């Protein structure tokens, strides 16, 4: 099975525009090249492509890119295709994202995890050390104030 052409046909059948399909295919090829490189092979198996570890490593790689959310959406669409075609039985992207949310700011995140995520965000966006320290101190003071209120 040629994954790229099957995915393209599936997208066409679901009424996606040609530019959206083109973007999904570009993103798919980036991901497939990544999987091939980590497996040191020019051909990759369906199992390697849909392995949670492959997705997780790729998501970690792209997480700092400006188009990370689009790439993640493309991976999610690929998994929807794979579920529809019965290539996989569960969407590995959802598992990875739910684990990430619980450790970096999801509903179960502690205030310390939220502060750490925010600090990483500020660092990623090249904020000065003073700006970061001021923001973090302000947040901590606000949290301390909230704890004293009924």
């Amino acid at each position: 099975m040629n994954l790229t052409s099957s995915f393209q046909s599936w997208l066409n059948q679901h009424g996606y525009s040609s530019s959206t399909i083109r973007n999904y295919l570009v993103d798919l090829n980036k991901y497939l090249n990544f999987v091939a490189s980590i497996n040191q092979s020019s051909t990759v198996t369906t199992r390697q492509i849909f392995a949670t570890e492959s997705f997780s490593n790729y998501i970690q790689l792209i997480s700092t890119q400006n188009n990370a959310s689009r790439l993640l959406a493309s991976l999610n669409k690929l998994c929807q295709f794979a579920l529809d075609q019965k290539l996989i039985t569960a969407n590995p992207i959802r598992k990875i994202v739910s684990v990430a949310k619980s450790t970096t700011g999801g509903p179960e995140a502690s205030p310390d995890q939220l502060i750490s995520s925010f600090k990483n965000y500020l660092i990623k966006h090249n904020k000065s050390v003073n700006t970061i320290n001021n923001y973090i101190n302000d947040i901590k003071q606000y949290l301390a104030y909230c704890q004293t209120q009924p």
Side-chain angles (χ1 to χ4, degrees), residues 118 122 126-138:
F118 183 58
L122 294 171
N126 300 317
K127 302 300 178 190
S128 72
V129 172
N130 285 339
T131 298
I132 294 170
N133 287 337
N134 288 338
Y135 280 160
I136 299 304
N137 285 335
D138 289 346

Side-chain angles (χ1 to χ4, degrees), residues 4-142:
T4 304
S5 63
S6 296
F7 185 46
Q8 183 176 7
S9 295
W10 184 83
L11 292 167
N12 275 318
Q13 290 172 353
H14 284 81
Y16 289 93
S17 71
S18 60
S19 61
T20 299
I21 292 171
R22 184 180 58 248
N23 288 334
Y24 279 141
L25 295 177
V26 165
D27 295 345
L28 171 61
N29 284 322
K30 287 179 185 178
Y31 175 67
L32 293 176
N33 288 333
F34 171 80
V35 174
S37 72
I38 63 171
N39 289 291
Q40 300 175 346
S41 173
S42 59
T43 59
V44 291
T45 66
T46 302
R47 183 181 197 144
Q48 291 167 324
I49 292 168
F50 294 104
T52 302
E53 184 178 2
S54 296
F55 282 121
S56 184
N57 289 336
Y58 187 68
I59 291 168
Q60 186 176 18
L61 174 73
I62 66 170
S63 65
T64 59
Q65 296 179 11
N66 290 337
N67 62 346
S69 60
R70 188 192 93 191
L71 293 169
L72 186 58
S74 295
L75 291 177
N76 193 45
K77 190 60 64 181
L78 174 66
C79 289
Q80 289 175 11
F81 156 78
L83 283 167
D84 188 56
Q85 302 300 304
K86 299 188 180 3
L87 299 173
I88 58 176
T89 58
N91 186 337
I93 299 296
R94 289 192 180 185
K95 179 179 178 183
I96 294 165
V97 170
S98 64
V99 167
K101 281 184 181 177
S102 68
T103 59
T104 62
E108 302 88 25
S110 71
D112 289 337
Q113 289 170 324
L114 292 171
I115 290 170
S116 177
S117 291
F118 183 58
K119 183 176 181 178
N120 290 336
Y121 170 86
L122 294 171
I123 291 168
K124 179 176 147 183
H125 287 85
N126 300 317
K127 302 300 178 190
S128 72
V129 172
N130 285 339
T131 298
I132 294 170
N133 287 337
N134 288 338
Y135 280 160
I136 299 304
N137 285 335
D138 289 346
I139 292 169
K140 287 180 178 178
Q141 287 175 358
Y142 178 71

